[in-house]
Amino acid sequence: QVRLVESGGGLVQAGGSLTLSCRASGRTEGRDAMGWFRRAPGKEREFVAATSWGGGTTYYADSVKGRFTISRDNAKNIIELQMNNLKPEDSAVYYCARSLSAVPYSDYTRYRYWGQGTQVNVSS
């Protein structure tokens, strides 16, 4: 089992920045991909970004490309999502997820473990 705990959400004005963190605990010895997803009220879960175990392969949703950066520190079992130039449409609950695969898929069904989520609100 792997437990994931997100932090760093909050309220920010449009154009501002936030950094989300996700700490993993438990059976974290696998070289698994990790990702961030989000869900806004009334919308489906949406892929945001994903990274391979070593961080050498990353993928981003088109809507966040150039504004968000995913990174991970395996020694600390942490991944982060640096979010810049935030827009009101970025408002959502953001979830950290860990796959059982080394490949950083954008498909949420490829991820086995999920955090509880952290709320991000961007005011206009």
Side-chain angles (χ1 to χ4, degrees):
Q1 285 288 345
V2 174
R3 182 168 181 254
L4 302 173
V5 179
E6 303 95 337
S7 62
L11 173 64
V12 65
Q13 288 189 330
S17 298
L18 279 176
T19 300
L20 305 183
S21 293
C22 172
R23 180 179 296 276
S25 60
R27 300 193 65 176
T28 60
E29 62 271 14
R31 297 196 170 200
D32 304 321
M34 294 190 69
W36 288 95
F37 293 77
R38 67 187 182 187
R39 176 176 280 171
K43 294 188 176 181
E44 297 292 320
R45 180 167 21 191
E46 178 186 22
F47 168 73
V48 176
T51 177
S52 60
W53 182 84
T57 302
T58 56
Y59 292 118
Y60 296 91
D62 288 342
S63 58
V64 307
K65 205 171 292 184
R67 300 188 297 122
F68 291 11
T69 302
I70 188 171
S71 62
R72 69 189 292 175
D73 183 337
N74 292 320
K76 297 180 180 179
N77 287 319
I78 290 175
I79 68 165
E80 293 190 335
L81 185 68
Q82 173 68 43
M83 306 186 295
N84 298 324
N85 190 22
L86 283 160
K87 304 175 180 181
E89 52 263 41
D90 294 319
S91 297
V93 177
Y94 282 71
Y95 299 91
C96 167
R98 186 176 176 112
S99 174
L100 292 179
S101 165
V103 179
Y105 293 105
S106 60
D107 180 357
Y108 75 90
T109 63
R110 296 283 189 166
Y111 292 80
R112 172 69 182 275
Y113 303 104
W114 293 83
Q116 294 299 306
T118 185
Q119 180 73 51
V120 171
N121 290 313
V122 184
S123 63
S124 57

